[in-house]
Amino acid sequence: GERIRMNIQSLVVGPVAANCYILSDAVGEGIVIDPGGDAPTILEAIKKENLKINAVLNTHGHSDHIGANDAVRDATGAPLYIHAADENMLTDPRANLSLFMGSKIVSRPAEYHLKEGDILHFGDIELKVLHTPGHSPGGVCFVGDGVVFSGDTLFAESVGRTDFPGGSMPQLLSEIKEKLMKLPDDTVVYSGHGPVTTIGWERQYNPYINGFF
């Protein structure tokens, strides 16, 4: 059938430069992935495009990805989705690591919990949930039409840190291999930090994956 083109706007937010993504369809229904901070910037972008935001999605619960959750929810009325294994990070600044960075970032609990294989529909946007623990226990990736939002699971020529509580490098690499590397080579990867890449490029040039295969 005809491919639904999803508009993807990328914003770099917060003190550690996390990527926040605003997705929208042709009629202006949208979602926000990882509003990590700089709420006014995110809300301005939503307003400028006159979007109706139907959901806020967190790829995981670390503070640099959840910092503007509540501000975006308050402004849009959209519910929050996160994997249950990272739910505690929303309300606990120690668990979400913000306490160690000298601030206390919290978010209200999520309205909905994500799990492996969920298919999310928001307007014409359809995303499949992959549970990819390793950077954090509740880390997820969202697979759309020719794209994947990989959070801090996979980066351009790198992978997420696994030295935080609940992290595991063997687990992370196993999830990347079993789930992300099964995606087509031309799948565009929108990571939680840093530049855009593709699955094919990472399959070939990512040292963590290359050494692992």
Side-chain angles (χ1 to χ4, degrees):
E2 190 189 336
R3 285 164 73 91
I4 303 280
R5 292 321 299 170
M6 174 167 67
N7 183 45
I8 301 169
Q9 191 177 356
S10 172
L11 302 171
V12 180
V13 300
V16 288
N19 292 326
C20 168
Y21 298 105
I22 302 172
L23 281 47
S24 55
D25 66 13
V27 297
E29 301 217 16
I31 63 173
V32 179
I33 298 177
D34 287 351
D38 296 332
T41 306
I42 298 170
L43 295 174
E44 183 56 39
I46 292 168
K47 196 174 155 196
K48 190 162 171 261
E49 300 290 327
N50 198 21
L51 302 179
K52 176 184 184 292
I53 300 299
N54 295 315
V56 176
L57 309 182
N58 287 157
T59 58
H60 63 295
H62 290 149
S63 60
D64 54 326
H65 295 261
I66 69 167
N69 274 358
D70 288 353
V72 174
R73 290 152 96 183
D74 290 344
T76 64
L80 175 69
Y81 294 68
I82 196 170
H83 193 281
D86 277 11
E87 171 73 40
N88 68 308
M89 296 186 191
L90 295 174
T91 52
D92 180 354
R94 187 177 294 276
N96 70 33
L97 309 178
S98 62
L99 207 57
F100 305 100
M101 302 200 310
S103 61
K104 272 189 165 177
I105 291 170
V106 292
S107 161
R108 296 192 298 272
E111 280 80 10
Y112 299 105
H113 286 156
L114 302 162
K115 57 183 193 308
E116 171 72 27
D118 281 353
I119 308 283
L120 308 173
H121 287 277
F122 307 106
D124 278 336
I125 298 167
E126 179 179 304
L127 297 174
K128 182 179 183 183
V129 178
L130 302 180
H131 181 211
T132 54
H135 173 69
S136 73
V140 297
C141 299
F142 301 107
V143 181
D145 184 14
V147 300
V148 58
F149 298 91
S150 64
D152 287 3
T153 296
L154 178 66
F155 300 124
E157 296 181 23
S158 188
V159 298
R161 288 175 58 168
T162 56
D163 56 338
F164 295 133
S168 159
M169 184 60 82
Q171 185 177 35
L172 186 72
L173 294 178
S174 166
E175 297 292 345
I176 290 171
K177 181 183 176 184
E178 293 304 315
K179 294 175 185 171
L180 296 184
M181 290 301 125
K182 299 266 164 73
L183 298 170
D185 277 351
D186 61 358
T187 304
V188 179
V189 181
Y190 292 91
S191 303
H193 301 269
V196 167
T197 183
T198 64
I199 291 294
W201 183 271
E202 295 312 308
R203 195 192 302 284
Q204 197 168 354
Y205 298 111
N206 190 309
Y208 292 90
I209 295 163
N210 235 336
F212 193 62
F213 278 167

